[in-house]
Amino acid sequence: MRLVIARCSVDYAGRLTAHLPSAPRLILVKADGSVSIHADDRAYKPLNWMSPPCTLKEGDGDDAGVWTVVNKAGEKLIITMEEILHDSSHELGVDPGLIKDGVEAHLQELLADRIETLGEGYTLIRREYPTAIGPVDILCRDADGGTVAVEIKRRGEIDGVEQLTRYLELLNRDPHLAPVKGVFAAQEIKPQARVLATDRGISCTVLDYDALRGIEDDKLRLF
């Protein structure tokens, strides 16, 4: 990974156009070829980015200080450097991936075995469906044969919705799977996460761990 902190301006030319005026920013160039530009806010979300596959060309001569990033669709991200404050490269190696805690792993296993919990007619395609950015917890089909990606959390928060959004963006590029809908499933879903999921067309499902395990509720019942 290459980390560059520079005073720069950024122009995007593609389906839309966008301009970031001159300011100090962090530029990340990852091993997969992606380039993203960050400000000192917004948590992890970049101001602008180019997803792989793409190529980065650093200008020379009259174009020295101009970076041009081009993707396979011909869209361009042009970064004009005014002053480089920091430039370093680091070898991170192969990432082991996210290791879920015991409850999340067990929820995934139980839900895969009882996939009809999501709705009548649902069928399992597979658990841990591989993608270029990590495995989707569960990939299944609904009663109409549509593809559904399920992200499972013990506690459903905004970062989980963002994670599922990235999976959906990638899966929907596959013509054999698209269109792919999303289901955000958790034992507890925070209100902010539910609002964000709804805004993005993602369904929310609250999972009852004991019910999935086949354990009866021990509270007194009238019937």
Side-chain angles (χ1 to χ4, degrees), residues 7-81:
R7 179 174 290 278
C8 63
S9 60
V10 183
D11 291 278
Y12 171 81
R15 290 167 293 179
L16 303 172
T17 58
H19 174 72
L20 294 174
S22 176
R25 297 190 174 91
L26 168 65
I27 303 166
L28 297 182
V29 183
K30 295 187 178 181
D32 63 2
S34 63
V35 178
S36 56
I37 296 98
H38 299 258
D40 198 10
D41 63 2
R42 295 169 169 245
Y44 56 84
K45 187 174 183 179
L47 296 165
N48 214 326
W49 68 94
M50 191 70 81
S51 300
C54 57
T55 57
L56 166 62
K57 180 181 178 181
E58 298 184 41
D60 52 20
D62 293 340
D63 291 328
V66 178
W67 290 14
T68 304
V69 188
V70 184
N71 66 12
K72 63 180 182 180
E75 298 168 317
K76 293 182 179 180
L77 193 64
I78 301 170
I79 307 169
T80 304
M81 306 289 188

Side-chain angles (χ1 to χ4, degrees), residues 25 29 53 64 121 126 136 172:
R25 297 190 174 91
V29 183
R126 67 167 289 177
V136 177
N172 272 301

Side-chain angles (χ1 to χ4, degrees), residues 25-182:
R25 297 190 174 91
L26 168 65
I27 303 166
L28 297 182
V29 183
K30 295 187 178 181
D32 63 2
S34 63
V35 178
S36 56
I37 296 98
H38 299 258
D40 198 10
D41 63 2
R42 295 169 169 245
Y44 56 84
K45 187 174 183 179
L47 296 165
N48 214 326
W49 68 94
M50 191 70 81
S51 300
C54 57
T55 57
L56 166 62
K57 180 181 178 181
E58 298 184 41
D60 52 20
D62 293 340
D63 291 328
V66 178
W67 290 14
T68 304
V69 188
V70 184
N71 66 12
K72 63 180 182 180
E75 298 168 317
K76 293 182 179 180
L77 193 64
I78 301 170
I79 307 169
T80 304
M81 306 289 188
E82 298 172 16
E83 180 184 9
I84 294 180
L85 307 173
H86 174 86
D87 188 347
S88 63
S89 297
H90 307 270
E91 180 59 52
L92 302 185
V94 178
D95 189 88
L98 178 67
I99 300 175
K100 293 181 176 290
D101 66 27
V103 173
E104 285 186 12
H106 199 202
L107 279 170
Q108 182 193 119
E109 180 182 354
L110 290 169
L111 185 58
D113 286 341
R114 298 165 177 79
I115 198 66
E116 67 279 357
T117 301
L118 299 176
E120 186 177 351
Y122 272 66
T123 56
L124 179 69
I125 296 176
R126 67 167 289 177
R127 293 170 52 195
E128 298 288 330
Y129 186 87
T131 77
I133 57 174
V136 177
D137 287 336
I138 289 177
L139 198 69
C140 57
R141 295 197 185 280
D142 61 20
D144 297 322
T147 311
V148 181
V150 185
E151 179 63 25
I152 299 171
K153 298 292 183 186
R154 184 168 58 84
R155 180 185 302 178
E157 301 189 33
I158 285 178
D159 59 348
V161 178
E162 294 283 7
Q163 183 180 358
L164 179 54
T165 300
R166 293 192 294 273
Y167 287 142
L168 290 171
E169 181 181 354
L170 197 62
L171 291 169
N172 272 301
R173 297 178 190 174
D174 186 339
H176 299 293
L177 298 176
V180 184
K181 297 185 296 185

